[in-house]
Amino acid sequence: MKTAIIGYPRIGENRELKFASEQFFRGEINEAELTKAAKEIRRKNLCIQKEAGIDFISSNDFSFYDNVLDAAVLFNIVPERYKKLGLGELETYFAMARGYQGNKGDVKALAMKKWFNTNYHYLVPEIDDTTEIKLVGKKPFAEYLEAKELGVETKVALVGPFTLLNLAKYTGTKKKEDFTDAVIEAYTKLLGYLNEIGAGWVQFDEPYAVKDIDAAEAQFFTQIYTKLLAAKGSVKVLLQTYFGDVRDFYDKLSGLDFNGIGIDFIEGRKSLELIAKGFPKGKLLFAGLVNGKNIWRNDYRKTLETIGAIAAKSGIGVEQIVLNTSCSLLHVPNSLKGEKRLTEDYKKHFAFAEEKLTELSEIAALAGLNDCSKDARFTTNQALFAKRIDTVDEAVKKRVAAIQDADYTRLPSFEERERIQKAKLNLPLFPTTTIGSFPQTTDVKKNRTQFKKGEITKEQYIAFNERKIAECIALQEELGLDVIVHGEYERNDMVEYFGEHLSGYVFTENAWVQSYGTRCVKPPIIWGDVSRKEAITVPWSKFAKSCTAKPVKGMLTGPVTILNWSFPREDITLRDSTLQIALAIRDEVLDLEANGIDIIQIDEAALREKLPLRKSDWYSEYLDWAIPAFRLVHSGVKAETQIHTHMCYSEFTDIIPAIDAMDADVITFEASRSDLQILDSLKEHHFKTEVGPGVYDIHSPRIPSVEEIVEALTKMRAKIDDRKLWVNPDCGLKTRGESETKASLLNLVKAAQCIRGEKG
Ligand code: GLN
Ligand code: ZN
């Protein structure tokens, strides 16, 4: 049985790409140096995969920022405003990714969205009526040849035309259908070049195919691929789907002239059923059986059973099956080698990208044996699934079982609370606030690292943070912000920090996963039953409150986000895991309230992340437990305690009733990088929760002008009742520099004053 990898993490074993790119952005290294660092990462990745004996290794899975952006640039989907800057190729690329502000002009970055149900973000290709889709780049060819030179024959991986056109945003009158011919021609050209350079395989990533595909979409897909496949020449084409199953679409898809079809058997609940309809002879089935999203060791027995079931149900021979990961390994950390602190008791249960390579090889080898039950690879693996240490906490299990329906409801009603809170807090119209974090400058990070390494005492660590909090509050007062935050200097990350104060968590040192561009996150691992060990944020919030007469907003991460940004357990349900976390955060909420904090923000930045990709599954499989879990966290507070929540990205237009049902008092969210369409929907649904749609983009170093913010607010006022509108940036400021933060917030406050008619 052969083995394949859809894509490998590209940030580098020690985040080399991140550091090199950041140096490049700061002008400390030049383009040649950055390119060299990138090449070295690609070389290492290829070697690791080759040494592990993987048969189908991808090239072009590398990206300087994002692979959807790569495809857009490859096919000339570059809006005029970026071309007009007259920058070099790579700099134009980065301008699209990060925005540009300099002597050549001032443009915002492209919109950024979550990549399906992951925490990876892609840049949204923007197509207008003048866009001419055509092949203009050479990255896939260059990277294929580069690999070949290193002695590795690869399949060339790139985003397929169906997903590309479906993810793009159309700003003119033309729609995706108007670009069908152009896109077919462009990809045909690509196939032509691949033939010329002698590439054996191309992999078109089409995760969009696992969404709800109606007859028209299926037709669109068929139309594109029928033509493309007729032009493939001697290049073999792999259609790679992931993050779910291809359901009603399977028959159409398997009838097309693909040489391989990649199907996800981990997240694709119906994949086995589909395969039972038969799988075409003469094609390879790339069976996604090793989880590309989670870090637990693969259960070889289960996987081998599934392989057997696939063969039996579909009637194909094992030689037609290629053992694959369920999605790109982009979503898991690089290698367990970087974990020095964790003991074997824990580590032996994990497989990161590199270890998954071994798993693929071992499973493939075992699948070829008549009886593998005595094989050491098999028995060692199976021993892992007997029992894990430190997982069960009976008290937690009991508490979850005792939750009553009433625990999910906060009283009194929203309207009653709104009245009480307005009278108590006495905030001006259009209250200004921030999302919580302030710049994590070098000194802040250093303080934390030194404390963790034991180089400074706890007292020193606390004293430093308290000084930062006091400064941060003085700054916010000086700027004139209405609701003050403490700045989150104690947090490395909005999930790991909470995990550290909860029982049941396990942490890694170097297990970074790319989130967007150069940003990586280090998700902690939910190992066992979760409960609150100790007060988490209370001392910091209490201290902050002592520094100011203005209202201080306590800052927590919500249970759904904690779950979604951790590596979850696979031995209990996500629902039960989330309820355990919800009870722990509920304890913290009540503790903050008892300590006089009367505004508490419970961030649910990642609420949408695990929303099923098919609408029909949204409520039954997710929202029906995720939203109540959030309510469980705050249902115990008094009417006068104001609960805020924050969501990154305003992509909740279609679940607005569910968001309102979170029953928070205020919600802030991203609105500056995407269009303001969300506002119409809020109005249409009579959204009751007060809202703070972000007035500027914090993912870019650009400073928004007062006029620009006033303009955004004016648009918002047309759709949102003045008494419900808050003014804030669209996310936390931790990744920004101090001076741009100060300048931006000052403009934000001025804009609020201006619309209040105070000045300006
Ligand atoms: N309170 C968090 C912060 O400001 C929210 C971060 C987020 O939404 N990603 O950093
Ligand atoms: Zn956010």
Side-chain angles (χ1 to χ4, degrees):
M1 182 177 286
K2 293 211 157 117
T3 52
I5 290 291
I6 297 175
Y8 205 72
R10 60 208 181 206
I11 204 77
E13 206 180 326
N14 292 303
R15 288 180 294 159
E16 290 85 350
L17 183 64
K18 170 196 173 68
F19 299 118
S21 305
E22 286 171 353
Q23 279 181 306
F24 176 71
F25 299 153
R26 290 192 300 262
E28 292 164 13
I29 63 171
N30 61 27
E31 192 172 321
E33 287 165 296
L34 174 61
T35 312
K36 194 173 151 213
K39 193 169 172 176
E40 180 54 16
I41 291 171
R42 291 195 293 268
R43 190 192 64 77
K44 274 197 186 152
N45 283 354
L46 288 170
C47 287
I48 289 171
Q49 293 176 81
K50 191 172 179 196
E51 267 165 36
I54 303 298
D55 301 293
F56 291 90
I57 299 172
S58 290
S59 56
N60 198 42
D61 55 346
F62 172 82
S63 178
F64 272 113
Y65 208 92
D66 165 44
N67 47 302
V68 178
L69 179 62
D70 293 345
V73 168
L74 177 69
F75 294 116
N76 196 37
I77 308 176
V78 180
E80 203 43 46
R81 61 179 185 280
Y82 300 106
K83 288 190 173 166
K84 269 206 326 239
L85 294 170
L87 299 165
E89 219 175 284
L90 189 63
E91 278 178 294
T92 308
Y93 175 90
F94 283 132
M96 294 169 80
R98 316 171 61 235
Y100 177 89
Q101 197 168 36
N103 51 10
K104 302 250 167 94
D106 182 359
V107 280
K108 289 192 201 172
L110 289 175
M112 198 161 62
K113 280 192 181 165
K114 277 189 194 277
W115 177 242
F116 297 87
N117 53 2
T118 72
N119 184 26
Y120 176 75
H121 303 70
Y122 69 96
L123 288 148
V124 182
E126 201 179 295
I127 297 181
D128 61 36
D129 290 352
T130 68
T131 306
E132 236 190 289
I133 299 185
K134 57 181 182 193
L135 180 70
V136 291
K138 51 181 185 312
K139 179 175 180 289
F141 319 116
E143 289 182 17
Y144 167 79
L145 291 171
E146 180 188 283
K148 193 163 184 143
E149 209 158 284
L150 291 166
V152 188
E153 176 63 33
T154 53
K155 61 177 153 69
V156 179
L158 75 156
V159 177
F162 180 67
T163 297
L164 184 66
L165 285 184
N166 269 304
L167 295 184
K169 175 165 114 187
Y170 299 82
T171 59
T173 56
K174 290 190 187 168
K175 293 193 231 17
K176 67 174 189 233
E177 291 77 13
D178 299 314
F179 294 91
T180 319
D181 292 340
V183 100
I184 293 171
E185 211 181 305
Y187 276 80
T188 302
K189 256 223 169 105
L190 174 115
L191 288 169
Y193 276 120
L194 292 175
N195 271 290
E196 261 175 49
I197 61 173
W201 279 86
V202 62
Q203 165 187 311
F204 290 127
D205 282 28
E206 294 286 14
Y208 205 87
V210 310
K211 306 228 338 165
D212 285 315
I213 300 295
D214 61 15
E217 282 291 338
Q219 175 52 33
F220 185 55
F221 182 95
T222 315
Q223 187 191 353
I224 294 174
Y225 274 107
T226 307
K227 290 217 176 132
L228 259 187
L229 291 166
K232 68 182 177 182
S234 56
V235 176
K236 297 201 168 101
V237 179
L238 162 62
L239 169 75
Q240 184 62 59
T241 69
Y242 40 82
F243 301 146
D245 56 63
V246 288
R247 234 165 275 187
D248 324 316
F249 189 36
Y250 178 73
D251 299 329
K252 272 229 158 101
L253 218 154
S254 55
L256 292 166
D257 193 21
F258 291 110
N259 302 86
I261 301 181
I263 291 188
D264 177 353
F265 288 89
I266 300 285
E267 282 189 273
R269 281 185 297 114
K270 302 232 159 144
S271 293
L272 255 186
E273 249 172 70
L274 294 172
I275 290 291
K277 294 185 179 183
F279 188 80
K281 298 269 169 286
K283 294 191 201 320
L284 292 180
L285 169 63
F286 286 71
L289 287 159
V290 170
N291 197 335
K293 272 191 184 168
N294 213 344
I295 44 71
W296 299 95
R297 284 296 310 270
N298 184 284
D299 182 340
Y300 288 180
R301 178 189 299 278
K302 274 197 194 154
T303 303
L304 291 165
E305 274 168 15
T306 311
I307 293 171
I310 292 172
K313 288 191 183 209
S314 65
I316 61 173
V318 183
E319 69 289 345
Q320 244 180 290
I321 303 175
V322 178
L323 186 65
N324 204 5
T325 52
S326 63
C327 59
S328 167
L329 296 179
L330 175 68
H331 309 293
V332 289
N334 235 288
S335 161
L336 268 171
K337 278 186 202 144
E339 304 307 319
K340 309 271 187 260
R341 263 199 320 251
L342 273 177
T343 64
E344 266 311 302
D345 283 339
Y346 294 92
K347 270 205 287 198
K348 67 182 179 194
H349 292 279
F350 305 140
F352 296 173
E354 194 173 345
E355 292 74 29
K356 285 183 196 280
L357 301 175
T358 312
E359 291 196 325
L360 285 170
S361 303
E362 289 191 353
I363 299 165
L366 293 170
L369 303 177
N370 275 334
D371 174 16
C372 68
S373 61
K374 304 253 151 44
D375 191 290
R377 290 168 292 194
F378 184 76
T379 50
T380 314
N381 173 270
Q382 285 307 292
L384 296 171
F385 294 90
K387 205 170 178 215
R388 283 190 279 124
I389 57 163
D390 300 339
T391 45
V392 183
D393 182 337
E394 287 303 336
V396 173
K397 288 202 184 313
K398 271 198 199 125
R399 205 174 160 203
V400 170
I403 299 171
Q404 305 287 310
D405 281 351
D407 297 330
Y408 293 115
T409 310
R410 181 174 174 199
L411 292 171
S413 71
F414 172 84
E415 291 73 16
E416 179 74 11
R417 293 183 332 242
E418 194 178 33
R419 199 181 46 72
I420 295 171
Q421 291 164 16
K422 282 216 187 302
K424 182 187 172 204
L425 293 168
N426 199 22
L427 294 167
L429 211 51
F430 314 114
T432 54
T433 190
T434 61
I435 308 303
S437 60
F438 268 68
Q440 291 260 330
T441 41
T442 324
D443 55 336
V444 173
K445 290 186 195 158
K446 191 172 153 206
N447 181 50
R448 226 172 23 231
T449 327
Q450 283 184 322
F451 175 54
K452 281 202 169 160
K453 284 191 184 152
E455 290 166 12
I456 55 171
T457 64
K458 188 166 183 184
E459 290 67 35
Q460 285 172 304
Y461 168 74
I462 292 176
F464 174 90
N465 274 348
E466 289 189 344
R467 204 161 58 240
K468 287 301 279 192
I469 292 173
E471 280 167 23
C472 182
I473 288 179
L475 172 69
Q476 293 173 75
E477 285 184 331
E478 182 197 320
L479 291 167
L481 286 155
D482 301 307
V483 172
I484 306 289
V485 297
H486 75 281
E488 301 183 19
Y489 298 109
E490 73 286 1
R491 300 183 201 178
N492 37 356
D493 168 286
M494 63 187 291
V495 170
E496 187 175 70
Y497 177 75
F498 284 84
E500 280 168 358
H501 296 266
L502 298 173
S503 309
Y505 264 92
V506 156
F507 302 93
T508 56
E509 285 159 89
N510 202 32
W512 297 98
V513 179
Q514 193 174 10
S515 170
Y516 70 89
T518 57
R519 287 291 297 173
C520 297
V521 292
K522 191 152 62 65
I525 298 165
I526 307 178
W527 175 269
D529 294 330
V530 172
S531 60
R532 189 178 84 138
K533 272 198 291 217
E534 62 218 355
I536 307 171
T537 60
V538 178
W540 304 120
S541 290
K542 254 174 84 175
F543 176 79
K545 197 178 157 61
S546 74
C547 298
T548 177
K550 285 193 166 182
V552 168
K553 178 162 71 165
M555 199 57 61
L556 305 175
T557 304
V560 185
T561 298
I562 293 186
L563 178 97
N564 285 350
W565 282 351
S566 304
F567 287 114
R569 287 166 71 171
E570 291 181 344
D571 61 332
I572 66 170
T573 63
L574 295 181
R575 175 184 176 272
D576 282 351
S577 229
T578 310
L579 289 177
Q580 292 184 359
I581 302 167
L583 289 172
I585 301 300
R586 180 185 167 98
D587 294 346
E588 179 74 7
V589 166
L590 294 172
D591 203 351
L592 280 170
E593 186 185 55
N595 278 284
I597 305 300
D598 41 22
I599 304 184
I600 302 168
Q601 179 172 312
I602 307 161
D603 290 327
E604 281 294 13
L607 184 88
R608 219 195 135 97
E609 199 158 298
K610 284 203 169 57
L611 191 69
L613 294 174
R614 287 171 194 276
K615 267 193 178 162
S616 42
D617 298 338
W618 280 1
Y619 282 86
S620 58
E621 287 198 3
Y622 184 66
L623 294 172
D624 283 349
W625 56 262
I627 302 296
F630 179 85
R631 288 201 305 262
L632 180 62
V633 174
H634 69 89
S635 63
V637 300
K638 293 184 287 208
E640 50 268 49
T641 301
Q642 189 171 65
I643 298 294
H644 288 218
T645 187
H646 165 73
M647 285 177 63
C648 293
Y649 309 101
S650 50
E651 260 198 288
F652 55 82
T653 313
D654 38 15
I655 51 165
I656 283 176
I659 302 300
D660 228 9
M662 290 166 81
D663 205 21
D665 299 304
V666 181
I667 176 166
T668 57
F669 56 87
E670 183 269 0
S672 65
R673 254 195 187 201
S674 50
D675 43 42
L676 291 172
Q677 181 204 341
I678 176 89
L679 305 180
D680 290 317
S681 313
L682 293 178
K683 192 178 160 92
E684 216 171 278
H685 285 89
H686 307 286
F687 198 67
K688 66 174 172 27
T689 316
E690 296 186 5
V691 289
V695 295
Y696 77 87
D697 175 16
I698 62 88
H699 301 89
S700 150
R702 200 179 156 269
I703 296 164
S705 67
V706 179
E707 294 72 32
E708 184 178 328
I709 300 176
V710 169
E711 199 190 309
L713 286 167
T714 309
K715 281 191 194 147
M716 291 170 192
R717 290 178 70 188
K719 310 282 177 182
I720 296 166
D721 185 338
D722 279 358
R723 285 162 309 176
K724 283 194 190 282
L725 184 59
W726 286 67
V727 181
N728 45 264
D730 66 4
C731 198
L733 301 163
K734 62 174 170 251
T735 59
R736 295 275 60 92
E738 277 180 318
S739 68
E740 75 219 29
T741 295
K742 196 170 162 184
S744 300
L745 289 178
L746 187 63
N747 289 353
L748 177 146
V749 172
K750 279 189 186 156
Q753 288 167 342
C754 176
I755 59 163
R756 282 176 204 145
E758 286 169 20
K759 49 178 127 100

